[in-house]
Amino acid sequence: MKPRSSCMFVAICAVIACLFASVASAAAPNIGVLIYKYDDTYISTVRNALTKALDGKATMTMQDGKGDQATQNDQLDVMISKKMDGLIVNMVDAQAAAGVLEKIKAAGIPVVFFNREPNLDVLKTYDKSVFVGTNAADAGKMQGDIIKQLWENKAFDLNGDGKFQYVMFKGEPDNPEAIARTEFSVKQAALNGVTMDQIGQTFVCNWDTALAQQAMESALAANEGKIELVIANNDSMAMGAIAALSNVGYNLEGGSKFIPVIGVDATDQAVDAIGKGIMSATVKQDGEAMGQAVATIMLNMAAGKAPLDGTSYTYDDSGIAVRIPYSPFMGK
Ligand code: CA
């Protein structure tokens, strides 16, 4: 009698466990995530936060667009054919969002776009779409406020002309974040009473360290001793500028010659460089908060709820975008 009843108990337990497992898997949505490229420091932070936030709540499939919109389009087609319950899209080319949205809309899949901002008027044509980004102008304005603080140190006015001679590193020509950071950093500094004087053309370096290093090497060679400030749209390019500076004896740890360099993102490398005193400041783009927001909103939408249901997030004036705030990060 005894072995038989324990056997039945095990069998009943197995059935119950099986039922629970099937309920759990039915409740966990399949979420497809398309990333513009894995090899981007800030995006890696967002990816990690996103993975963590979805863990146990969704089955996630993530793809690397490798900086190529055609690759991302193919990845999207596969995800749509697999009938995902929700899609998270970090566009390679924000200008291609209309075509991407058209496909997602036809499939009726809820979508959260993040980071690289599509035209919001395009997104508004689909009621199951949300954008999570930052306020691009704010990052630039914070850089402008940092420039004012730096300018209080008159030693940075190397030629003593009362103007801050700067070089500008821009991410991409048509990227809205890049455009806003480039414009508002200088505008805000001017509003703060600093006379800004650009040296050379704006260097468009694709957010990339190596390209920025090359551009900075050329700029230093052509303008020896004239550059007083480096403004970069992101920390990766700021690191490239610092590498070029260090090659000619500037911005070395414990060294005597220093040209202020400002970035955006607060990547680990930048925070480390600021700690070592070889970089001035950055603007923190909170990748963890971004990843969490994207995950929370996506889970709501995949469950058929309103995107911001039960959250503390709010839409901006567009009624379709959620903005994660920036904060300045300066050295001592
Ligand atoms: Ca000057």
Side-chain angles (χ1 to χ4, degrees):
M1 279 300 285
K2 227 174 178 186
R4 187 188 161 91
S5 70
S6 84
C7 206
M8 270 195 54
F9 178 73
V10 170
I12 289 165
C13 283
V15 168
I16 291 170
C18 202
L19 277 173
F20 268 106
S22 70
V23 166
S25 72
N30 286 310
I31 306 294
V33 185
L34 298 172
I35 299 292
Y36 104 94
K37 69 172 180 181
Y38 281 7
D39 181 24
D40 176 302
T41 314
Y42 168 70
I43 292 296
S44 296
T45 312
V46 180
R47 283 201 294 129
N48 292 338
L50 193 54
T51 306
K52 213 166 116 189
L54 289 177
D55 185 40
K57 294 175 183 158
T59 306
M60 188 183 76
T61 310
M62 192 182 275
Q63 294 284 344
D64 181 3
K66 297 178 180 164
D68 181 52
Q69 189 57 50
T71 301
Q72 188 170 69
N73 290 344
D74 292 344
Q75 292 166 343
L76 174 70
D77 291 343
V78 172
M79 291 208 177
I80 288 176
S81 73
K82 286 186 177 167
K83 299 189 169 33
M84 289 286 171
D85 300 305
L87 289 169
I88 293 170
V89 182
N90 173 212
M91 293 294 305
V92 174
D93 175 6
Q95 315 260 2
V100 165
L101 187 76
E102 212 45 53
K103 288 180 183 176
I104 297 171
K105 189 177 169 181
I109 302 172
V111 58
V112 178
F113 289 88
F114 78 96
N115 171 244
R116 294 157 77 88
E117 185 163 348
N119 183 332
L120 295 181
D121 288 333
V122 170
L123 292 203
K124 281 181 191 169
T125 63
Y126 183 39
D127 61 355
K128 290 181 187 167
S129 70
V130 169
F131 174 69
V132 183
T134 50
N135 188 335
D138 281 355
K141 286 177 187 170
M142 280 178 193
Q143 284 189 319
D145 291 339
I146 291 165
I147 291 167
K148 181 189 178 269
Q149 287 191 51
L150 292 170
W151 187 241
E152 283 163 12
N153 180 352
K154 291 301 170 203
F156 289 144
D157 186 7
L158 298 177
N159 62 356
D161 70 347
K163 297 176 188 173
F164 220 166
Q165 273 79 24
Y166 70 96
V167 287
M168 174 68 78
F169 289 86
K170 188 174 177 181
E172 290 165 285
D174 302 322
N175 179 285
E177 301 261 347
I179 292 167
R181 289 176 194 177
T182 303
E183 179 185 342
F184 286 98
S185 53
V186 175
K187 265 194 184 164
Q188 182 76 7
L191 278 175
N192 285 331
V194 184
T195 306
M196 302 295 287
D197 181 19
Q198 184 168 14
I199 292 189
Q201 299 288 312
T202 295
F203 307 123
V204 179
C205 293
N206 205 27
W207 311 104
D208 185 78
T209 301
L211 290 177
Q213 182 175 344
Q214 283 168 23
M216 189 66 188
E217 281 165 359
S218 306
L220 283 166
N223 304 283
E224 208 188 330
K226 291 182 188 160
I227 299 168
E228 299 175 342
L229 169 69
V230 176
I231 311 171
N233 285 174
N234 76 340
D235 286 339
S236 295
M237 293 190 294
M239 298 314 294
I242 290 168
L245 283 165
S246 69
N247 284 344
V248 290
Y250 286 87
N251 297 45
L252 293 165
E253 200 175 350
S256 58
K257 295 199 287 183
F258 179 79
I259 290 172
V261 178
I262 312 171
V264 176
D265 283 345
T267 62
D268 291 345
Q269 294 96 316
V271 169
D272 186 51
I274 291 166
K276 285 177 180 164
I278 60 173
M279 179 170 173
S280 298
T282 184
V283 175
K284 190 173 185 220
Q285 178 165 205
D286 195 339
E288 279 181 33
M290 170 75 77
Q292 248 162 33
V294 169
T296 305
I297 293 168
M298 182 78 265
L299 288 170
N300 266 345
M301 293 170 84
K305 296 184 201 166
L308 308 190
D309 195 32
T311 73
S312 56
Y313 303 117
T314 53
Y315 290 121
D316 70 2
D317 294 345
S318 71
I320 196 167
V322 173
R323 306 286 174 183
I324 307 299
Y326 286 97
S327 54
F329 183 95
M330 288 190 85
K332 285 164 266 169

